[in-house]
C-alpha cells in the first residue's frame, strides 16, 4: 500500500513538499550489440574449423613430400569445401545464436 502525505492548504501554497511525489523507476538498458565473441567457441564451429584446418595441413605436408598430384587434388577439393564450410558455419552460427 502507498503511504499518503497530508499537506495543509496553507503549507501547500507556501512550503514545498519534503517528500518527492514521484519515485524514480529503474529502467532496463539494452546493448546495441547483441553479440559476444565468446559465442564463437561453439563446439560445432570449432570442430568444422579443425577439420578444414587439418585438411589444409595434410595438403601442405603432401606438397613438401613431393606428392604433387595428390596435393593438387586436395587443392581442387578445398576450393569448393572452404567457401561452403565458411558460409555454412556462418549460417549455423546465426541460426543457433539467441539474440
Amino acid at each position: 500500500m502507498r503511504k499518503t502525505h497530508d499537506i495543509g492548504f496553507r503549507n501547500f501554497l507556501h512550503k514545498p513538499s519534503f517528500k518527492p511525489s514521484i519515485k524514480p523507476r529503474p529502467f532496463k538498458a539494452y546493448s546495441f550489440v547483441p553479440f559476444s565473441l565468446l559465442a564463437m567457441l561453439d563446439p560445432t564451429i570449432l570442430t568444422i574449423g579443425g577439420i578444414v584446418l587439418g585438411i589444409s595441413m595434410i595438403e601442405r605436408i603432401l606438397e613438401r613430400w613431393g606428392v604433387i598430384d595428390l596435393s593438387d587434388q586436395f587443392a581442387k577439393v578445398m576450393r569448393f569445401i572452404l567457401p561452403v564450410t565458411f558460409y555454412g558455419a556462418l549460417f549455423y552460427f546465426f541460426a543457433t545464436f539467441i539474440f
Side-chain angles (χ1 to χ4, degrees):
M1 257 174 84
R2 287 186 156 185
K3 292 183 179 180
T4 58
H5 184 67
D6 292 334
I7 300 174
F9 183 71
R10 287 187 183 173
N11 289 337
F12 176 74
L13 290 177
H14 297 295
K15 292 182 182 178
S17 175
F18 295 112
K19 293 184 179 178
S21 60
I22 299 174
K23 293 182 181 178
R25 295 183 181 170
F27 63 95
K28 294 182 180 178
Y30 296 99
S31 172
F32 290 110
V33 183
F35 204 77
S36 172
L37 293 177
L38 294 175
M40 294 291 265
L41 296 176
D42 185 28
T44 306
I45 293 177
L46 290 177
T47 303
I48 292 171
I51 290 171
V52 171
L53 185 64
I55 291 173
S56 64
M57 288 176 64
I58 290 172
E59 178 189 349
R60 294 295 175 192
I61 290 171
L62 288 174
E63 189 176 307
R64 285 186 184 173
W65 286 351
V67 188
I68 303 298
D69 295 333
L70 194 55
S71 176
D72 287 340
Q73 292 297 324
F74 269 102
K76 288 178 185 177
V77 170
M78 289 301 286
R79 263 187 228 136
F80 175 74
I81 288 178
L82 281 175
V84 170
T85 305
F86 173 74
Y87 289 117
L90 195 64
F91 176 75
Y92 172 80
F93 174 70
F94 284 116
T96 59
F97 187 69
I98 298 172
F99 287 99

